[in-house]
Amino acid sequence: MMMTGLPAVLLATALLLVVVSAVQPVARRLQLPETVLLAVVGILLGGLADILLRSPLTDVFNGAARTLLNFPVDSEAFLLIFLPILVFQGALAIDVRRLAHEAATVLLLAVVAVVATTAAIGFALYPFAGMPLVVCLTLGAIVANTDPSAVVGIFREIGAATRLTRLVEGEALLNDAAAISIFGILLPAIVSHQHISVGNAALDFAVSFTGALVIGALLGRLTLTMITLLGGTPAGEVTLTIALPYVAYIVCDRLGLSGVVATAAAGLTFSVYGPSTLRPQTWRFLEELWEQLVFWAGSLVFILASMLVPRLLVGVTRWDLVLIAITVAAGSLARAAVIFGMLPILAATRLSPPVPAPFKITMVWGGLRGAITLALALAVTENPHVSSEVARFIGIIATGFVLFTLFLNGTTLRFLVVALKLDQLSAIDQAQRHQVLGIGLGEVRDRTRRIASEFGFPAGATRHVIEGLDRRIDEERAANTFDTALGDRQRVTLALLTIANHERSILLDLFRIRGISRRVMETLLRTAESMIDGARLEGRFGYVRAVRRRLSPSLRFRLAQFVHHRLRLDTPLMYCMMERFEMLMIAHLVSLSLGRFMRRRVEPTLGVRLAEIVSEVLERQQKLLEEAIGTMRLHYQGYTEALESRMLRQVALRLEAEEYDELLNESLISEELHTELQRDVEQRRHRLERRLKFNLKSGIENRVKSVPALDGVPEAVLHDLAMTLAIHFTAPAERILKRGRRVRTVYFVSAGQFESHIAEHDIRYGPGSVLGAEDLLAGGRMQASVRSLRFGHLLAIGAGDFRRLADEYPVVRQNLERLRRARMGEPEHVLLLAAPARDEVAATREAESAIG
């Protein structure tokens, strides 16, 4: 019985998935790109179906053949169903922060190379094809986009350089958008037989590109915000990511913008902020799900598009083969000219790191075309407003171009990569290999001996295995050139990269136990990745600079301080303070863990001398953290203890849940009991996720009473004053007051150290000092700038309010004069303190000398 309709389509799809699952292992065995083999299978299926329909001897298969040839997936379905999946997953898998350093190179390849290829092919075909120039340019746009699936698959399988893979992925992510945008401008000109204005076309392209970038990024951030409101439900979070690419693509496409760019922007936004928004286990599941989706989508789109090849190549002539050869030559030369001609300019102007010659050769040869090119060609052949001659021309030339790149470039790319030695380890990895193997095999040998003893393996078998491991250890130690192959600078960079990557792993582990809020997690992960980038680009200096940037108050924190000071709104600063507290405490705990990791794992691998250098960097980081936390802990001790207690309780709950999982695995408890125990753990964890209460004004009145300049002011006045003061936190080297500027704010120093330079003398101020008061009362302008030497805590009062206070209570002016005379008696390093604050200043001096 012949099957038709939806059941036939579903059955055909299921059988195609069966074929796809078999293609992967066969391609690996034949050492061919999967896309090449999928193209072969698709062409064979399309040709076989056509033969079956034409033969009267095989009528029983006509239903299946007709279903394959008339599969209900046209060019629009290709672009709407499959393209958002492929683009979004490609963006999701990219390391955006590392790709940012290659932004100029990627944009050159994705935009300039596409435009150059379109123009080169169009003008090369125009004298020979007998077609209008706009038709030739349209063909150039169709074949200008590259397909990364085969290339990246080869690179990953043979272990090619990660930078090369990153460049190819970044290029492919945006060149589809550039090619489709140009195609969308040229095709209407063919249909309407109108001339194209180059200026208008360039403006339309720019608007489409930039508008889609903005909308895609906004939709990505909106989705992340919605995820935070779901309260940690993995099913809902993952569902939103499935909807996001289609929403971005279709909305922008209907607005006349680039749907591909919008989808890529949404994916890149999700790649940057997703790991700090979703729980690590949810993020891992999301990555695995999207890898599976893109495998299905990529395989189906390739095999379905390849099934159309026999139809598109009907009536091909020898002259068509000549035109295909011209197209291939022009496209390859244009790509080579951009890569070899313009990349050195980017490197010379320092817009992008230099790209080695082997990379350039591989990128030129790896410009394979695939399913998207076939889908765009199909869009022309299916368009009823396009003449049959134009449709035939574009269908045959585009299909021939795809087959040429797949069967020539695709089958030889692996050998080119190996010949150029791009599959070999970097110098650092090669030097480290023997070092790591020697240490790692020693651990394996010891564990193997213990396990053999525990399970009672025969002594002969144990001895044979241990002797084999000993031989390998000796060989690796003899070949170890780690100490001589790498200089100290390279090894320090390697150690800092290891430390920064390990910190990122610790943070994700803490996030998994719900021990960090999402915003704090985002900040810590972002700064940890900044440390990785800093160490990679500038070594120790870059790493330390990223550490200092993490500890400095953020722009959001400074804006909250401004709102608190000027508008008397406490809520924004209160939430920023809570997040900064949590961020500093988590960073402090992680820093302690990194010190232990350094001694346990890094020191045996890199050596004692190098470990001492890196440990010194970690100790400086630890001191900065302790100083920053100490400044805040001094005023909010109760909140600090409550926050530490909550973190520890969350860790205990995680350990409790893991213990119940272990008991279930060992069959010591039933599944029902395990479910009940885990439900109880989840309820207690949910209660711990409630925000702690935070009192922004805690302890301010006591601080105000300890200011020497306010001695003699009535306590009732000091109480009212404390209620009106604003809080201001400072970072090292921050300028508080600027020389020559009018004093608008007076600061009471609650914690920290500050310095000004007057008449060749450095004057330091500690807790209890007043900044800007004398200059305000003397004339209103600062005689010298005042900057912070350490993390500090200030209480701010407006200049007008302080002037009124001094006028109403002359004792304030008398106190300031007395303090000024005391400072004149010891001009270089005088700390002006009231008696209750002297112990605090002594502790401050001790901490400073320790850091120095």
Side-chain angles (χ1 to χ4, degrees), residues 235-311:
E237 294 172 351
V238 173
T239 302
L240 284 176
T241 68
I242 300 295
L244 174 59
Y246 289 102
V247 172
Y249 187 93
I250 295 173
V251 166
C252 282
D253 189 59
R254 292 300 178 263
L255 291 175
L257 304 175
S258 174
V260 180
V261 172
T263 307
L268 292 172
T269 303
F270 218 89
S271 175
V272 173
Y273 299 107
S276 59
T277 303
L278 280 74
R279 300 292 172 188
Q281 56 269 39
T282 306
W283 181 255
R284 284 194 296 271
F285 172 73
L286 180 69
E287 289 182 315
E288 293 170 359
L289 173 65
W290 272 100
E291 285 176 4
Q292 186 63 61
L293 287 175
V294 83
F295 172 71
W296 289 335
S299 301
L300 283 176
V301 72
F302 220 99
I303 202 167
L304 289 171
S306 300
M307 285 165 52
L308 302 173
V309 167
R311 184 194 307 175

Side-chain angles (χ1 to χ4, degrees), residues 458-748:
T462 303
R463 183 174 60 256
H464 178 72
V465 173
I466 297 299
E467 288 175 353
L469 289 171
D470 283 334
R471 282 195 300 272
R472 291 185 61 192
I473 292 171
D474 293 338
E475 291 171 1
E476 297 298 337
R477 287 177 177 171
N480 187 3
T481 59
F482 183 76
D483 291 334
T484 57
L486 298 179
D488 285 347
R489 190 170 185 177
Q490 288 178 305
R491 287 191 289 164
V492 168
T493 299
L494 178 61
L496 291 175
L497 284 172
T498 303
I499 290 293
N501 279 298
H502 185 66
E503 177 173 352
R504 189 176 187 277
S505 300
I506 295 174
L507 290 172
L508 288 173
D509 194 47
L510 286 172
F511 191 49
R512 184 166 66 88
I513 65 171
R514 305 183 189 180
I516 311 178
S517 65
R518 295 182 190 273
R519 189 184 293 276
V520 171
M521 180 63 180
E522 185 176 304
T523 301
L524 287 170
L525 271 182
R526 185 174 63 249
T527 52
E529 287 163 352
S530 296
M531 293 176 196
I532 295 173
D533 290 339
R536 181 181 291 112
L537 297 175
E538 301 177 90
R540 178 165 49 176
F541 176 74
Y543 179 89
V544 171
R545 187 166 58 182
V547 169
R548 291 186 177 276
R549 243 189 338 259
R550 165 189 278 182
L551 298 181
S552 299
S554 65
L555 175 62
R556 181 167 168 266
F557 190 93
R558 294 184 187 280
L559 288 175
Q561 284 192 149
F562 177 83
V563 170
H564 165 71
H565 187 197
R566 299 297 181 187
L567 305 180
R568 301 298 179 184
L569 296 177
D570 295 344
T571 303
L573 182 58
M574 180 184 72
Y575 284 117
C576 285
M577 287 279 292
M578 294 167 68
E579 291 170 5
R580 181 164 174 80
F581 248 118
E582 186 175 353
M583 187 273 289
L584 291 174
M585 292 181 64
I586 292 292
H588 182 256
L589 295 174
V590 171
S591 178
L592 293 174
S593 178
L594 290 177
R596 293 189 292 269
F597 174 75
M598 185 73 202
R599 292 187 294 272
R600 189 181 73 255
R601 299 294 291 173
V602 178
E603 183 175 319
T605 304
L606 302 181
V608 176
R609 186 167 63 89
L610 185 64
E612 290 177 352
I613 297 174
V614 179
S615 295
E616 181 183 348
V617 176
L618 292 178
E619 287 173 4
R620 290 173 60 190
Q621 176 182 347
Q622 182 78 15
K623 289 179 179 179
L624 285 172
L625 281 165
E626 289 174 353
E627 178 188 330
I629 293 174
T631 300
M632 302 183 74
R633 190 192 299 270
L634 185 66
H635 305 284
Y636 305 101
Q637 182 65 36
Y639 181 81
T640 306
E641 293 177 357
L643 188 59
E644 290 172 334
S645 175
R646 189 182 70 167
M647 289 180 183
L648 188 56
R649 288 168 67 189
Q650 287 170 326
V651 171
L653 283 176
R654 175 196 173 180
L655 297 176
E656 184 178 349
E658 290 178 349
E659 179 64 22
Y660 297 150
D661 290 339
E662 186 67 24
L663 291 174
L664 178 65
N665 293 334
E666 295 175 354
S667 301
L668 294 175
I669 59 175
S670 65
E671 290 186 6
E672 292 79 6
L673 178 56
H674 175 265
T675 302
E676 174 63 28
L677 293 172
Q678 291 289 13
R679 186 183 297 116
D680 179 62
V681 170
E682 190 64 29
Q683 289 174 352
R684 282 180 283 143
R685 180 182 286 131
H686 182 69
R687 288 196 295 269
L688 283 177
E689 290 179 350
R690 298 173 185 169
R691 280 186 177 272
L692 296 173
K693 294 182 179 180
F694 183 80
N695 181 9
L696 191 63
K697 303 281 186 164
S698 174
I700 288 183
E701 187 171 350
N702 291 332
R703 294 290 156 189
V704 171
K705 291 179 181 179
S706 68
V707 176
L710 300 179
D711 285 349
V713 177
E715 289 196 10
V717 176
L718 294 180
H719 172 78
D720 293 339
L721 177 64
M723 295 300 101
T724 61
L725 291 176
I727 297 171
H728 186 86
F729 282 90
T730 64
E734 180 180 343
R735 188 165 53 187
I736 311 303
L737 296 167
K738 187 175 181 180
R739 180 181 178 181
R741 292 281 181 88
R742 184 172 296 278
V743 180
R744 300 185 182 276
T745 305
V746 172
Y747 298 97
F748 301 118

Side-chain angles (χ1 to χ4, degrees), residues 47-89:
L48 180 62
D50 188 62
I51 293 173
L52 291 176
L53 276 180
R54 295 175 185 275
S55 173
L57 303 177
T58 56
D59 291 344
V60 67
F61 299 109
N62 284 356
R66 191 173 291 108
T67 300
L68 287 176
L69 288 178
N70 300 313
F71 207 83
V73 178
D74 56 10
S75 59
E76 185 179 14
F78 273 122
L79 298 178
L80 281 178
I81 297 174
F82 298 115
L83 191 56
I85 294 178
L86 298 174
V87 172
F88 187 80
Q89 194 277 336

Side-chain angles (χ1 to χ4, degrees), residues 214-441:
V214 173
I215 293 178
L218 289 176
L219 287 173
R221 290 295 291 179
L222 178 62
T223 303
L224 289 165
T225 302
M226 293 175 64
I227 285 175
T228 60
L229 299 176
L230 290 178
T233 54
E237 294 172 351
V238 173
T239 302
L240 284 176
T241 68
I242 300 295
L244 174 59
Y246 289 102
V247 172
Y249 187 93
I250 295 173
V251 166
C252 282
D253 189 59
R254 292 300 178 263
L255 291 175
L257 304 175
S258 174
V260 180
V261 172
T263 307
L268 292 172
T269 303
F270 218 89
S271 175
V272 173
Y273 299 107
S276 59
T277 303
L278 280 74
R279 300 292 172 188
Q281 56 269 39
T282 306
W283 181 255
R284 284 194 296 271
F285 172 73
L286 180 69
E287 289 182 315
E288 293 170 359
L289 173 65
W290 272 100
E291 285 176 4
Q292 186 63 61
L293 287 175
V294 83
F295 172 71
W296 289 335
S299 301
L300 283 176
V301 72
F302 220 99
I303 202 167
L304 289 171
S306 300
M307 285 165 52
L308 302 173
V309 167
R311 184 194 307 175
L312 292 171
L313 289 178
V314 170
V316 63
T317 64
R318 292 183 179 179
W319 184 244
D320 291 329
L321 297 179
V322 173
L323 295 179
I324 291 173
I326 293 173
T327 305
V328 171
S332 301
L333 289 174
R335 183 172 176 82
V338 171
I339 291 176
F340 282 95
M342 300 192 70
L343 285 183
I345 297 176
L346 293 182
T349 55
R350 297 187 177 181
L351 292 174
S352 179
V355 178
F359 281 25
K360 297 175 185 175
I361 296 172
T362 306
M363 291 160 68
V364 171
W365 194 249
L368 277 65
R369 273 60 170 182
I372 303 304
T373 298
L374 293 176
L376 294 178
L378 188 62
V380 176
T381 61
E382 290 177 346
N383 194 316
H385 303 291
V386 175
S387 67
S388 59
E389 290 184 1
V390 171
R392 177 189 174 279
F393 167 74
I394 289 180
I396 288 177
I397 305 304
T399 305
F401 193 101
V402 170
L403 295 179
F404 183 90
T405 59
L406 280 177
F407 293 134
L408 179 63
N409 300 51
T411 55
T412 57
L413 183 61
R414 175 190 302 269
F415 305 103
L416 177 66
V417 173
V418 174
L420 294 174
K421 298 181 180 181
L422 296 177
D423 59 330
Q424 297 182 0
L425 294 173
S426 65
I428 291 180
D429 289 334
Q430 287 177 346
Q432 195 181 9
R433 181 182 185 275
H434 299 295
Q435 178 91 346
V436 171
L437 276 177
I439 296 171
L441 288 174

